[in-house]
Amino acid sequence: MGAMLLGVAATATAQNPTNIVLINLDDVGYGDFSCNGAFGYTTPNIDRLASQGMRFTHFLACQPISGASRAGLLTGCYPNRIGFAGAPGPDSDYGIHADEMTMGELLKQKGYRTAIFGKWHLGDARQFLPLQNGFDEYYGLPYSNDMWPNHPQQGEVFNFPDLPTFDGNEVVGYNTDQSRFTTDYTARAVAFIRKNREKPFFVYLAHSMPHVPLAVSDKFKGKSEQGMFGDVMMEIDWSIGEVVKTLQEEGVLENTLIVVTSDNGPWANYGNHAGSAGGLREAKATTFEGGNRVPCIVYWQGHTPPGSICNKLASNIDLFPTFAEVAGAPLPAKKIDGVSLLSLLQGDEKANPRSSFAYYYNKNDLEAVTDGEFKLVFPHKYVTYEAYEPGNDGQPGTLTTRVLEKPALYDLRRDPGERYDVITLYPERVIKLRKIAEEMRTELGDDLTRRKGTGRRSPGRVDGSGN
C-alpha cells in the first residue's frame, strides 16, 4: 500500500468534487493503533495513512457512548442539543429527528452518492433508518452487536430480542454470524466505490468491531499475539487497506478525503476483549479522557501535510462542518456546534478553530469543560473501571460507581491521565473555564445544576410527538 499513497495531488473543484470516506470504529481506544503504541499486533495500513497524512492527538468524541456519539458525528451537534442520549436499543421510542440534517443529507445537496455500511445507532424504527435520513445505501446493524440473545448477561441484566441485519430498509437475517461483518462491510464499501467512481461519493464505513462480542474471519483468526482483540484489529486494518487500494485502482485516491476515528474509548471491563485508552484515565461511559479522547487520522493527498501531528483541540462533531466546507455544501439553518477543521487539515499551524469543548453525558449532565490545555471537572457520579479486576474472554468484569465530591482541575499538557488536581494553582484558568461552562448551561442546560437551557431541540419520536 506504500506506493498508493504517493502521487500528484488533485485539488477539488466544482467539476472535480472531493470524495469522502469516513471510517468510524467501535470502542477503539486512544492506544489501539500501533502508531499510538498498541502491543501484540500491528495496524500497518492505518499507520501508513498516518505517516502520509495527519494524526490528531487531542481529538474528542462528543460523548463517550455509541449512540449519542454517532448522532453528534452525523449532525455536527452536541447530542444533547438534538435531544439524543445514551445508546438506544431494540424498539427504541426515539431517534434522529426528521428535521435534523445528517451528513448524508448535507452531501446530497452537492450531488454526492451516499452509503453507510455497518452500525447505525440513531434509532431502529423505519423512520430513523439511513435510507430515510440521507443515505442511498445501507447494510448493517441498527444498534450495537451485543444487543442480542447471546449477551453474556442475557436473562440476568438484559432481555434482548434477536439482532436484525438490514439491507436497505429490509431485514435480511437475524443473529448473523458476526465473523462475517468486517469482511461484508468492506466488500460493500469497495463495490460502492467502484460503482460510483465517476460521481462524487460519501462512504460511511461504521465497523461493528471491536465492540464486544468480538468476532473475526478465518483470514485473521489466531494471527496476533494479543489474542482475539488483536486479530479483530488486524482485520479492521486489512479492511482499511482494501478501501484505500480500491480508491487507487479506481483512480480516485488523490481526490478522496479519508478519516479514521472511533466513537468512544474502550470498554475496559471486558479485559482482554477490550482495547487500550493509552494511559488515559478511565474508559468508555465516563467523561475522563479515556472515555472521550479517541484516535483520529486524516489523509487527504495534497492537503494534509504528510506525517504531520495536530495537537489542537478537535471533536468528531467538527467533521460535519469540515465536510461541508470541503464539498461547498450549505450548512443547515438550525444551529450546530461543530467548527470546520479545514485550516488544520491544510497545515495552518496558527489556526485554532475549536477553543473549548463541553463534556456532556447521561441525558444532559455537564461534567467537565476544557480549553484544550486545562480541564475543569465538576462534581458528579461516574462509573469506574478501577475498583475491580476486568473480565476475560468475553465476560464483563464488575463495575461500580464513584462520586467526585468537589471540582478538580487538570493540566492536560502535563497530565493527560488526570491524576493531579491543580485547582489551587491556576485560579485564572478556573475562572475562564467556569465562564465557558456557564455559557454552555445557558445554551444547552445542565441537569447537574438544574438548568434547562434555551437551545435544545427534541429528538424524533416513534409516536410523532417529537416531530
Side-chain angles (χ1 to χ4, degrees):
M1 179 177 149
M4 73 179 66
L5 296 182
L6 304 174
V8 179
T11 302
T13 65
Q15 293 74 37
N16 193 28
T18 299
N19 305 307
I20 298 172
V21 175
L22 171 58
I23 301 171
N24 192 30
L25 308 179
D26 202 330
D27 288 4
V28 165
Y30 186 76
D32 283 332
F33 298 160
S34 46
C35 62
N36 279 5
F39 286 89
Y41 62 89
T42 59
T43 53
N45 294 302
I46 294 171
D47 297 350
R48 198 168 290 120
L49 285 176
S51 71
Q52 295 292 332
M54 177 175 288
R55 180 163 61 92
F56 282 78
T57 64
H58 201 169
F59 190 87
L60 302 173
C62 55
Q63 279 203 25
I65 194 74
S66 179
S69 175
R70 290 160 193 266
L73 169 74
L74 289 178
T75 63
C77 297
Y78 283 117
N80 45 314
R81 178 180 291 282
I82 60 173
F84 216 96
D91 301 319
S92 173
D93 67 348
Y94 72 96
I96 185 68
H97 197 292
D99 291 345
E100 301 294 345
M101 181 183 288
T102 69
M103 207 173 270
E105 292 166 326
L106 172 81
L107 295 171
K108 284 182 77 67
Q109 295 177 114
K110 301 301 290 186
Y112 279 67
R113 294 288 293 171
T114 61
I116 167 179
F117 305 115
K119 176 179 174 180
W120 176 238
H121 221 168
L122 272 70
D124 65 327
R126 185 184 179 92
Q127 72 198 67
F128 304 137
L129 292 177
L131 297 195
Q132 285 67 252
N133 290 281
F135 290 88
D136 298 311
E137 293 188 20
Y138 167 48
Y139 175 80
L141 304 181
Y143 35 75
S144 297
N145 63 325
D146 68 333
M147 294 178 175
W148 69 334
N150 298 324
H151 193 287
Q153 295 173 309
Q154 180 80 352
E156 300 173 5
V157 179
F158 302 107
N159 188 26
F160 290 122
D162 291 331
L163 173 64
T165 298
F166 277 84
D167 192 344
N169 284 323
E170 304 304 320
V171 175
V172 294
Y174 289 96
N175 303 327
T176 305
D177 176 6
Q178 297 203 17
S179 68
R180 294 174 38 188
F181 284 146
T182 299
T183 297
D184 286 353
Y185 298 163
T186 305
R188 295 273 183 148
V190 164
F192 184 83
I193 291 167
R194 295 197 192 283
K195 182 171 61 177
N196 293 285
R197 63 185 179 275
E198 301 294 336
K199 310 166 187 173
F201 59 78
F202 168 50
V203 176
Y204 177 37
L205 180 53
H207 277 299
S208 296
M209 303 291 162
H211 191 292
V212 292
L214 299 183
V216 67
S217 72
D218 290 340
K219 297 188 297 294
F220 290 91
K221 189 175 295 183
K223 298 295 185 182
S224 82
E225 297 174 3
Q226 208 196 100
M228 178 68 87
F229 184 86
D231 297 349
V232 169
M233 289 302 298
M234 290 177 67
E235 185 162 35
I236 288 171
D237 182 75
W238 162 83
S239 167
I240 293 170
E242 289 296 297
V243 169
V244 176
K245 182 174 70 174
T246 301
L247 292 169
Q248 188 193 34
E249 290 173 350
E250 297 300 328
V252 295
L253 176 64
E254 59 187 27
N255 190 39
T256 301
L257 168 62
I258 304 171
V259 179
V260 181
T261 188
S262 175
D263 61 351
N264 47 246
W267 208 348
N269 66 312
Y270 275 88
N272 64 344
H273 279 204
S276 166
L280 301 174
R281 184 172 175 180
E282 295 290 358
K284 169 182 176 174
T286 79
T287 52
F288 292 106
E289 292 298 284
N292 285 79
R293 194 183 301 203
V294 293
C296 180
I297 293 168
V298 180
Y299 171 82
W300 188 17
Q301 197 171 117
H303 297 269
T304 49
S308 54
I309 305 292
C310 182
N311 296 323
K312 299 294 180 66
L313 181 64
S315 172
N316 62 350
I317 58 176
D318 299 332
L319 295 177
F320 184 98
T322 302
F323 294 170
E325 188 168 7
V326 167
L331 291 171
K334 292 187 174 185
K335 185 174 182 178
I336 68 170
D337 300 291
V339 294
S340 175
L341 305 177
L342 184 59
S343 57
L344 296 179
L345 300 186
Q346 294 178 327
D348 184 351
E349 295 181 356
K350 296 181 180 179
N352 190 37
R354 174 162 292 284
S355 59
S356 65
F357 177 84
Y359 297 76
Y360 275 95
Y361 191 51
N362 296 317
K363 186 176 180 180
N364 200 39
D365 294 354
L366 180 59
E367 296 184 350
V369 291
T370 184
D371 60 5
E373 294 182 347
F374 286 80
K375 179 178 179 181
L376 182 61
V377 182
F378 301 108
H380 68 278
K381 181 187 291 187
Y382 63 94
V383 169
T384 182
Y385 298 86
E386 299 177 351
Y388 299 94
E389 66 180 20
N392 202 47
D393 295 340
Q395 295 296 318
T398 301
L399 294 174
T400 189
T401 58
R402 288 178 176 168
V403 177
L404 187 71
E405 299 284 357
K406 59 183 181 179
L409 182 73
Y410 300 104
D411 183 349
L412 297 179
R413 304 168 303 174
R414 300 179 176 90
D415 179 28
E418 299 169 283
R419 301 297 178 187
Y420 308 104
D421 181 8
V422 293
I423 196 166
T424 61
L425 300 180
Y426 298 96
E428 73 288 351
R429 289 287 186 150
V430 175
I431 293 171
K432 174 186 176 183
L433 290 168
R434 287 191 183 279
K435 181 179 178 181
I436 293 170
E438 276 303 298
E439 292 170 353
M440 294 306 303
R441 289 173 181 133
T442 299
E443 176 75 10
L444 294 183
D446 173 21
D447 287 350
L448 294 176
T449 56
R450 297 180 175 83
R451 302 276 289 278
K452 290 187 176 181
T454 59
R456 295 178 66 201
R457 307 191 285 266
S458 297
R461 295 288 182 184
V462 172
D463 63 7
S465 61
N467 296 330

